[in-house]
Amino acid sequence: MKHYKYIILSLLACTFCSCEDELKEEAALNVAVNSTENVSIVGDTVFVKKGTPMTFTMDGTPDFITFFSGEKGKQYIYKDRDQVDPADIVSSKLSFAVWYQYGNATTAADLLRMYISDTFPGMAKNNFKADSALVEQFKWNDLVDPATLPTAPSNAAKAVQVEVDLTPYLGKRVAIAARYQGHDNSAAQPRVNFVGMKIVNQMKDGTSSELYAMNFGFTPVNMMCHHNLSDQKNMTTNREYGTVTNNMSGIWNLTGAKSGDFFIHSSNGGTDLKYSWLVSDLILANACSPDAGASIKDLTGRLDTYTYTYNDLGVYKATFLATNSNYKAESRVVRELNIKVVE
């Protein structure tokens, strides 16, 4: 039978935003680690073998606990970060795949154009006449060489892979736009599928940050919204700037944008030609999504232990954020542990 001992770590703690007269109880939390044959402590560092579940024990009564493992995308120090210093970036690339579905080579010809600009002023989004004229008449730069875009419907396995160097745009606010314009309705006007659109910034320290299409603030400019097209008649609200969650012909569907996936649906042969733009907000190429922790405790119960497994070698700063709050005030305590994952 194995014998275990509890080693209480000396942890760095900090308390933020405390208001003694507003909270019944300030947040408090002590954290320890179970020592096993694969988990040990030397100085202020916990050594754990890769792939070994390690158990943290907790003493305290916070309302909420959030755990940041210290891995990529889960670092407490970056929980509020929304951009990366351009000086820290080695490369910045926009990548995505695009493919057409339905129709034929004739109806797919000149269907899609992709643009970028660091001088676009942005849309009002409440003046369709002005916005539609602006995006249509603005002098855009090609984001992608039109010759590299698909020329005929295919399938996801044959999607065109696109990678654009955004290094020249670091520190600048840019707009990215897609123009969908049908030119032939003798067959179906194709559905255009975008897959995995994101900006990836590689940093000098070897880490990277990602910003997916969901964060680009894409807004459709539905150029045909006032034409009362028969295959768009069920779109009864926000016809000018709206999206759909179904497959309405010629209207953008952004429901998958969290992972960088979105599309504009096809139209049957013989139906009116479709024309729509999709325009981003003014975004920083060096923008990034804040890191996120895992919520491991809420008001529904007590939490005495939490087990986590590190599967990759490296050094991590594991962080527990304990919070008590009400509608007037909040008390926070942060506990940090140095974790080194070894073979």
Side-chain angles (χ1 to χ4, degrees):
M1 180 177 179
K2 296 181 179 179
H3 295 281
Y4 299 94
K5 63 179 180 178
Y6 293 96
I7 300 179
I8 304 298
L9 300 178
S10 176
L11 305 171
L12 176 63
C14 28
T15 303
F16 304 97
C17 306
S18 295
C19 291
E20 295 182 5
D21 57 342
E22 298 290 355
L23 289 173
K24 292 182 178 180
E25 184 177 4
E26 292 187 12
L29 181 68
N30 294 313
V31 181
V33 173
N34 283 0
S35 176
T36 72
E37 60 184 3
N38 291 330
V39 180
S40 61
I41 298 175
V42 177
D44 63 353
T45 301
V46 179
F47 289 80
V48 57
K49 287 189 177 181
K50 180 179 69 173
T52 300
M54 60 185 302
T55 299
F56 303 94
T57 61
M58 285 163 282
D59 178 29
T61 57
D63 294 336
F64 304 93
I65 301 176
T66 304
F67 174 69
F68 296 80
S69 68
E71 297 163 295
K72 176 185 173 183
K74 304 174 183 179
Q75 300 182 66
Y76 177 77
I77 60 172
Y78 295 140
K79 69 180 179 63
D80 298 317
R81 181 178 67 170
D82 60 4
Q83 60 181 280
V84 180
D85 187 338
D88 294 331
I89 298 175
V90 175
S91 69
S92 179
K93 295 180 179 179
L94 170 71
S95 63
F96 58 92
V98 58
W99 61 287
Y100 299 168
Q101 195 172 1
Y102 315 120
N104 57 37
T106 301
T107 57
D110 200 33
L111 182 71
L112 178 69
R113 288 291 180 268
M114 300 289 297
Y115 300 111
I116 190 170
S117 175
D118 60 3
T119 60
F120 184 72
M123 297 190 302
K125 300 185 184 180
N126 60 6
N127 186 335
F128 183 78
K129 183 177 180 180
D131 284 343
S132 58
L134 171 65
V135 300
E136 194 171 44
Q137 298 170 15
F138 188 76
K139 189 175 181 180
W140 295 93
N141 299 316
D142 283 323
L143 175 71
V144 181
D145 182 350
T148 66
L149 292 169
T151 57
S154 59
N155 55 59
K158 296 181 180 179
V160 172
Q161 303 295 322
V162 177
E163 188 174 84
V164 180
D165 180 16
L166 293 184
T167 304
Y169 295 100
L170 289 177
K172 301 178 181 179
R173 294 197 174 274
V174 300
I176 295 171
R179 187 200 73 191
Y180 177 100
Q181 189 166 17
H183 296 280
D184 188 329
N185 64 355
S186 60
Q189 298 164 68
R191 165 171 161 162
V192 175
N193 301 284
F194 290 89
V195 182
M197 182 178 283
K198 62 182 177 180
I199 296 173
V200 178
N201 291 312
Q202 297 288 342
M203 262 69 80
K204 292 178 179 178
D205 63 3
T207 62
S208 64
S209 68
E210 298 178 340
L211 189 74
Y212 280 87
M214 176 186 69
N215 303 107
F216 292 6
F218 275 131
T219 299
V221 185
N222 297 318
M223 294 293 191
M224 307 299 292
C225 64
H226 297 148
H227 288 241
N228 297 315
L229 304 185
S230 60
D231 50 359
Q232 294 182 356
K233 63 183 179 180
N234 291 330
M235 189 173 187
T236 58
T237 60
N238 197 15
R239 296 176 63 89
E240 296 175 337
Y241 301 101
T243 62
V244 292
T245 58
N246 55 19
N247 295 332
M248 186 174 294
S249 299
I251 302 295
W252 293 95
N253 184 320
L254 305 182
T255 54
K258 184 175 182 179
S259 56
D261 301 345
F262 53 96
F263 65 89
I264 183 169
H265 198 59
S266 65
S267 303
N268 290 331
T271 57
D272 293 290
L273 294 171
K274 301 306 187 293
Y275 179 32
S276 186
W277 286 68
L278 189 67
V279 183
S280 78
D281 288 342
L282 302 182
I283 62 174
L284 285 169
N286 50 299
C288 64
S289 299
D291 283 20
S295 176
I296 61 174
K297 182 192 180 302
D298 57 25
L299 289 169
T300 60
R302 180 179 177 85
L303 183 69
D304 296 316
T305 64
Y306 180 68
T307 299
Y308 191 79
T309 302
Y310 289 88
N311 292 310
D312 295 311
L313 302 178
V315 177
Y316 306 95
K317 180 78 73 175
T319 306
F320 291 82
L321 171 63
T323 308
N324 279 8
S325 62
N326 59 26
Y327 72 100
K328 289 185 177 180
E330 181 178 82
S331 172
R332 293 184 174 187
V333 171
V334 176
R335 305 298 190 189
E336 296 181 327
L337 301 86
N338 297 315
I339 308 292
K340 186 168 185 179
V341 182
V342 299
E343 290 285 5

